[in-house]
């Protein structure tokens, strides 16, 4: 299972996740935050940000890869 948002077990993990997310490039961070913290769908994010759904999907894929990589460090 994934340890992304809501499933982080303790305060340390929550702080780490916040630091990792805040370090993401803004386009990736915005999409990640709207998806994982605001619970928006890719379609909702695309509409709100004036992006295509494909762009949202690509940015989420990149953001998740970076977050996962940093969580493993």
């Amino acid at each position: 299972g994934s340890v992304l948002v809501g499933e982080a077990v303790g305060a340390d993990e929550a702080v780490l996740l916040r630091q990792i997310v805040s370090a993401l490039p803004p386009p990736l961070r915005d999409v990640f935050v709207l998806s994982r913290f605001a619970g928006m769908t890719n379609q909702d994010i695309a509409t709100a940000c004036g992006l295509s759904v494909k762009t949202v999907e690509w940015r989420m894929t990149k953001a998740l890869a970076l977050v996962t990589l940093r969580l493993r460090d």
Side-chain angles (χ1 to χ4, degrees):
S2 104
V3 185
L4 299 177
V5 183
E7 296 176 35
V9 253
D12 291 345
E13 289 87 351
V15 169
L16 177 63
L17 183 60
R18 209 169 296 124
Q19 290 171 341
I20 291 169
V21 170
S22 66
L24 289 172
L28 302 185
R29 182 178 63 233
D30 293 346
V31 168
F32 185 87
V33 168
L34 291 173
S35 174
R36 293 298 187 256
F37 294 103
M40 293 173 71
T41 65
N42 287 349
Q43 181 63 62
D44 292 339
I45 296 166
T47 302
C49 297
L51 303 168
S52 71
V53 174
K54 283 286 177 205
T55 298
V56 172
E57 290 170 355
W58 182 86
R59 289 181 182 181
M60 269 306 294
T61 300
K62 293 293 282 182
L64 285 168
L66 288 169
V67 169
T68 302
L69 192 66
R70 295 204 173 111
L71 280 173
R72 287 186 184 146
D73 284 347

